[in-house]
Amino acid sequence: MTFNKFDSKKSFALLLFYFIGYTVILSSIPFLIAGFLIGLNVSGDYLNSLTIIFQSISLAILIYLSKDFLKLELKSFKENFVGSIIKVPLYYIGMYIINILISLVFNLLNATNSNQVLIEELLNTATSSYVFLAVIVAPIIEEIIFRAVIFRNLYEKNKLIAYIVSSFLFGLLHVIGSLASFNMNDFMYIFVYMNMGLWLSYSYAKHKNIFTSILFHMLNNIIAVAIILII
């Protein structure tokens, strides 16, 4: 079993879209529009709806750019559906056990996870848009970028480097705010997200299918969101 691939031009286009089009431009527009409406004294809470709209646009663009790849992946995923359904919960348990051990060490060091605090605040203030982002948008977009593009391209050259680089970048994405504010205590939580990135990469490499890691990512985020909402 081998990976389905993006060619170099498509890989570059996807990376460009993610790091500039999605992360910088499309993710900022809802805040700019909402701020503009507030400046015009237009009443109403538009940020939640605007966020869902522009996250949907981002997802649609990425799926369009990846449509040929995703068709091939979906076909092989259907053929190995049962195996993925059985293995994904096991991957999650393995990841979760290691993350508990990492968190216990960080608790002893009095480290804090501001990304987790931010997630809790977003769930309280913009529940529907954040659930949509965490459960649907992020798993699909991040798996295509970090696994199907970054990990897969590096994997062909050096498997160890592929795991390290893709997982580090994935972890960095989730603690970038801590790095920007020089909060090294909080930045240590990059290891929690790197561990998640390693398990996601392993599930992708094991099954050679992006839908397996997307399913794994969705399961993780659904459980995380559900726990926060219940508590």
Side-chain angles (χ1 to χ4, degrees), residues 4 7 35 42 44 47 76 81 93 99 142 144 160 168 171 190 193 203-205 224:
N4 291 315
D7 59 35
V42 177
L47 185 58
S76 62
F81 179 75
I93 292 170
N99 273 347
E142 291 177 7
I144 290 175
L160 179 61
F168 174 76
I190 188 174
Y193 298 107
S203 70
Y204 177 50

Side-chain angles (χ1 to χ4, degrees), residues 1 76-91 203 206-207 209 212 215:
M1 188 185 298
S76 62
F77 179 70
K78 289 178 179 178
E79 294 171 354
N80 299 282
F81 179 75
V82 175
S84 294
I85 291 296
I86 293 173
K87 291 292 183 64
V88 163
L90 299 178
Y91 299 147
S203 70
K206 184 73 173 177
H207 295 264
N209 192 281
T212 301
L215 184 63

Side-chain angles (χ1 to χ4, degrees), residues 1-15 65-66 68-70 72-73 141-167 169-170 197-198 200-211 213:
M1 188 185 298
T2 58
F3 288 109
N4 291 315
K5 303 177 181 179
F6 291 111
D7 59 35
S8 57
K9 289 183 179 179
K10 187 57 68 69
S11 294
F12 178 76
L14 285 164
L15 290 173
L65 291 173
S66 311
D68 294 333
F69 167 79
L70 291 175
L72 294 173
E73 293 288 278
I141 291 181
E142 291 177 7
E143 289 313 299
I144 290 175
I145 297 300
F146 289 97
R147 251 57 67 183
V149 177
I150 297 174
F151 176 79
R152 200 274 306 161
N153 276 289
L154 292 172
Y155 191 85
E156 293 182 340
K157 299 175 176 63
N158 187 300
K159 294 180 181 180
L160 179 61
I161 294 297
Y163 277 101
I164 293 172
V165 172
S166 63
S167 299
L169 292 175
F170 179 75
L198 287 169
L200 287 166
S201 295
Y202 175 76
S203 70
Y204 177 50
K206 184 73 173 177
H207 295 264
K208 300 293 189 297
N209 192 281
I210 199 62
F211 283 99
S213 61

